[in-house]
Amino acid sequence: MAPSPSDDRRRDSIPPHVKALSGSLGGIMEACCLQPIDVIKTRLQLDRTGTYRGIIHCGKTVATSEGVRALWKGLTPFATHLTLKYALRMGSNALLQSAFKDPVTGNLSNQARLASGFGAGVLEALLIVTPFEVVKIRLQQQKGLSPDLLRYKNPIHCARTIVREEGLRGLWSGASPTVMRNGTNQAAMFTAKNAFDVLLWQKHEGDRKTLQPWQSMISGFLAGTAGPICTGPFDVVKTRLMAQGRSPSGELKYRGMIHAIRTIYAEEGLRALWKGLLPRLMRIPPGQAIMWTVADQVTGLYERRYLKEASF
């Protein structure tokens, strides 16, 4: 596709550390607002017997039987993991984009943007997302609030128990589907967010324009919709692999990503591979809207104060 005249403008880039800061602040806000949806999604994905009849029934059941606070189970590891994840995602994506830019024009092709997003997703999956989500999911699958009746007392106790009983590799259960899910998600998300910013608001990075919060919310929401649909099976498999512990005999129900997909399909049907899709769509697009609203304000402030006027 031929570049538009606006693509020929040489603009300064926002440094990776600014992108990382903007992402971490956005992640904190997202975690606090949307944790209940994540708890419901996890409970639905782990429900093999039809205990919950849908999102609303699941939320009511958890709140009634375990207390409203149970809807924020796992918030500490979730908020910490989102803060670190977004910092790494935004910072590494910025670094990769800088490496892939045309050295003469400073332009970034769509292929390079996809590769940068995928690389950022792989890094966050391996370094941050997998161990934090293992702990979060183990905490979320527990029913009840009394510490005396819970196997895992808190995030630290949960992580220590997993390492003691399953080894350090236990914290990286489900790493393969997590890498596939996050890599694909971020490749699509960064590319889509940039496309919507340009298409809807004529906003280019480095042009010293700051989107209004409502504009960032629309772009972020739209960019966050495609990933959950495409990566639903990876997310279900990831959750099942992370939640399972070894039986007393040392056996595991799911022996890996491919085996888990086959087993779920054989035992529960094709639709089971998209369990929890609706709560994911209720959480991820609004989460991206919240995150990008905060992130765009931070990067917009930097652009206005520190970047030179774009030369035309």
Side-chain angles (χ1 to χ4, degrees):
M1 181 168 52
S4 65
S6 62
D7 292 331
D8 293 330
R9 303 168 184 171
R10 180 61 184 264
R11 298 183 177 87
D12 293 323
S13 297
I14 300 172
H17 72 273
V18 176
K19 290 286 190 72
L21 175 62
S22 71
S24 64
L25 294 175
I28 293 173
M29 185 64 70
E30 177 186 342
C32 294
C33 293
L34 300 180
Q35 175 69 0
I37 299 298
D38 194 70
V39 171
I40 292 171
K41 181 213 75 168
T42 299
R43 291 293 182 90
L44 287 173
Q45 289 181 336
L46 294 174
D47 180 21
R48 302 176 188 170
T49 60
T51 302
Y52 307 117
R53 297 192 298 271
I55 295 172
I56 295 176
H57 179 258
C58 180
K60 285 183 177 179
T61 302
V62 172
T64 301
S65 61
E66 305 173 47
V68 175
R69 284 191 303 143
L71 291 171
W72 273 267
K73 275 188 175 182
L75 177 60
T76 300
F78 186 51
T80 304
H81 127 260
L82 274 188
T83 302
L84 296 175
K85 178 179 74 173
Y86 282 133
L88 178 60
R89 176 190 298 177
M90 301 288 279
S92 62
N93 182 70
L95 282 172
L96 290 170
Q97 285 190 355
S98 296
F100 290 148
K101 279 182 178 179
D102 186 291
V104 177
T105 65
N107 292 334
L108 188 71
S109 68
N110 287 332
Q111 293 86 347
R113 196 177 298 278
L114 283 168
S116 298
F118 189 86
V122 170
L123 283 175
E124 72 178 24
L126 291 175
L127 298 180
I128 294 174
V129 175
T130 301
F132 273 95
E133 287 212 1
V134 168
V135 172
K136 174 180 71 72
I137 287 172
R138 296 289 180 92
L139 291 171
Q140 287 178 342
Q141 72 175 337
Q142 298 184 123
K143 297 181 179 180
L145 284 174
S146 174
D148 296 334
L149 302 177
L150 298 178
R151 183 182 183 191
Y152 306 117
K153 312 304 181 185
N154 53 56
I156 301 298
H157 178 260
C158 180
R160 287 177 175 172
T161 302
I162 292 171
V163 172
R164 183 177 66 252
E165 296 180 354
E166 305 170 41
L168 189 61
R169 291 179 59 184
L171 289 173
W172 271 265
S173 299
S176 296
T178 306
V179 164
M180 293 301 299
R181 182 199 66 172
N182 282 55
T184 305
N185 263 339
Q186 300 343 313
M189 187 270 293
F190 279 110
T191 303
K193 176 61 167 60
N194 178 76
F196 285 123
D197 283 349
V198 174
L199 179 65
L200 297 177
W201 325 118
Q202 290 75 52
K203 162 64 181 173
H204 299 263
E205 181 177 325
D207 62 5
R208 296 171 59 87
K209 297 177 185 176
T210 302
L211 294 178
Q212 295 296 317
W214 64 270
Q215 293 174 317
S216 296
M217 291 191 75
I218 291 175
S219 292
F221 186 93
L222 293 174
T225 55
I229 297 174
C230 298
T231 62
F234 292 129
D235 193 63
V236 172
V237 169
K238 169 199 71 73
T239 300
R240 296 286 182 92
L241 290 174
M242 289 179 173
Q244 71 176 353
R246 291 188 179 275
S247 66
S249 62
E251 296 181 355
L252 293 173
K253 180 177 178 62
Y254 307 115
R255 298 192 298 272
M257 180 174 67
I258 302 301
H259 180 258
I261 291 175
R262 289 176 175 172
T263 303
I264 293 170
Y265 173 73
E267 295 181 352
E268 304 172 52
L270 183 63
R271 291 180 60 184
L273 290 170
W274 274 269
K275 273 189 173 182
L277 175 61
L278 187 54
R280 283 191 80 205
L281 289 173
M282 292 176 63
R283 182 183 71 79
I284 293 177
Q288 290 302 299
I290 294 168
M291 192 281 293
W292 281 110
T293 298
V294 176
D296 281 349
Q297 294 303 306
V298 174
T299 55
L301 177 63
Y302 181 89
E303 286 188 45
R304 292 195 307 272
R305 290 192 175 185
Y306 298 106
L307 292 190
K308 298 177 182 178
E309 289 284 356
S311 55
F312 301 98

